[in-house]
Amino acid sequence: MNKGLAALFIASSLWGYGEGTVYWTPHGCDEGKAVASKHGGHGKGESAMFALMNSEGNTSAHLVLPDLTSQPLSFKLNTIMLPKPPMGGYYAMVAEGNGTNGVYSAVRYLPLQGRPSKISPTKLTALPKTALEIVPNPLHREHDRYTASKSYQFLLRFHDQALPDTAVSLETHNTPAQTVMTDSEGKFTITLPNDFKNVRIGRNENKPSEFLLTTQYREGETLYQSTLSMPYSLNPNDYWQSQTYGAGAIFIGFLGGIFLYRRNKKQGASRG
């Protein structure tokens, strides 16, 4: 790992979530939720407004549609409002810019509701969107979600070529940054931490959290930095479902014990 990247990861673990990096995050304001509800193309309670954190003034952004067409996104301060989705499927929000520390980019994938596009999301992930890019490998299905305690694979590309032996940082709001390395094919696997707090029974009773993947790579005098941010949900098996299944197993075992006891008692009486 180069010294600059090591310094970045050490700093991120000291500063807190996302400090010093450019990344997308949902803007949970009432305005964004109202627009999402009006569009009818977003999930219940989700926002159509997103903020690009730590960006500089020369940043541009665009939205890649499921059919791989693209349309520009306009910033109001550091936020954008998503337009009404013309079709259902996965979209990619992409931001790029030149900062004091080099070239930076941020990507986020969004499953939006609408007229079925019947286009595989693998075409969207295969499309080069930034010079340095962290890509889900594969992207989970639209009605699925990233879930705590589960493992997921990603691919790191530079100019559409796999980037081996490169460090990638994973962090969440409740877990400090940790580093993983890409393999010889540019792939790496992460396990999302089970770090939810104040958990309530029922998946929909608990808001998703966010995870952030960050990497950087130097080519000549230019330093490239890229992020991928996505939501993830708690794993019911870590909480109430495992307890329910355990209680159910105990109850079934108890009933089985009663049945065997009665059967053995009847057999003993008949022999006597």
Side-chain angles (χ1 to χ4, degrees):
M1 187 191 313
N2 64 58
K3 294 181 179 179
L5 190 56
L8 169 68
F9 292 159
I10 293 172
S12 64
S13 64
L14 294 175
W15 294 340
Y17 182 84
E19 290 290 339
T21 59
V22 178
Y23 66 96
W24 290 109
T25 189
H27 198 303
C29 64
D30 292 338
E31 180 184 1
K33 292 180 179 179
V35 170
S37 177
K38 182 179 179 181
H39 285 177
H42 304 257
K44 182 179 179 181
E46 293 182 355
S47 177
M49 183 179 287
F50 288 82
L52 186 65
M53 305 302 293
N54 305 318
S55 63
E56 300 185 16
N58 62 348
T59 303
S60 63
H62 63 277
L63 185 68
V64 183
L65 281 63
D67 62 2
L68 308 187
T69 60
S70 179
Q71 60 185 79
L73 295 171
S74 300
F75 284 102
K76 184 177 181 181
L77 297 178
N78 72 324
T79 63
I80 60 97
M81 187 73 76
L82 290 178
K84 182 177 181 179
M87 65 188 74
Y90 266 107
Y91 291 66
M93 286 194 306
V94 182
E96 299 176 283
N98 295 309
T100 54
N101 294 324
V103 178
Y104 59 84
S105 59
V107 178
R108 186 182 183 96
Y109 293 91
L110 304 165
L112 301 181
Q113 302 170 12
R115 173 178 54 84
S117 62
K118 298 181 180 179
I119 301 174
S120 172
T122 57
K123 293 185 177 181
L124 180 62
T125 55
L127 178 73
K129 292 169 284 296
T130 62
L132 180 64
E133 183 179 2
I134 301 170
V135 183
N137 187 46
L139 188 60
H140 61 70
R141 294 182 178 181
E142 297 166 33
H143 300 293
D144 199 358
R145 64 189 81 187
Y146 285 109
T147 304
S149 301
K150 291 187 177 182
S151 298
Y152 300 92
Q153 187 181 85
F154 297 82
L155 173 66
L156 181 59
R157 297 189 306 227
F158 183 65
H159 291 311
D160 201 28
Q161 299 296 315
L163 194 59
D165 304 320
T166 304
V168 180
S169 167
L170 164 67
E171 58 184 311
T172 72
H173 287 292
N174 295 322
T175 300
Q178 50 187 293
T179 302
V180 296
M181 299 294 295
T182 62
D183 62 16
S184 60
E185 297 179 335
K187 299 175 182 178
F188 66 96
T189 300
I190 63 168
T191 300
L192 292 173
N194 173 19
D195 58 358
F196 286 80
K197 298 181 179 180
N198 303 317
V199 174
R200 303 174 65 180
I201 295 178
R203 174 176 281 184
N204 293 334
E205 298 297 321
N206 300 274
K207 293 182 179 180
S209 186
E210 293 275 316
F211 72 90
L212 176 64
L213 296 173
T214 305
T215 191
Q216 65 180 30
Y217 180 74
R218 184 180 295 277
E219 183 183 57
E221 298 298 320
T222 304
L223 179 65
Y224 295 85
Q225 183 184 95
S226 188
T227 63
L228 172 68
S229 58
M230 295 289 289
Y232 72 104
S233 301
L234 62 78
N235 192 330
N237 293 329
D238 292 337
Y239 298 97
W240 63 89
Q241 282 193 1
S242 61
Q243 296 173 4
T244 301
Y245 295 153
I250 293 173
F251 181 68
I252 292 173
F254 175 72
L255 292 179
I258 293 177
F259 173 76
L260 290 174
Y261 171 76
R262 290 181 175 178
R263 187 181 68 176
N264 292 337
K265 187 176 181 180
K266 289 180 179 180
Q267 291 176 349
S270 63
R271 292 172 182 171

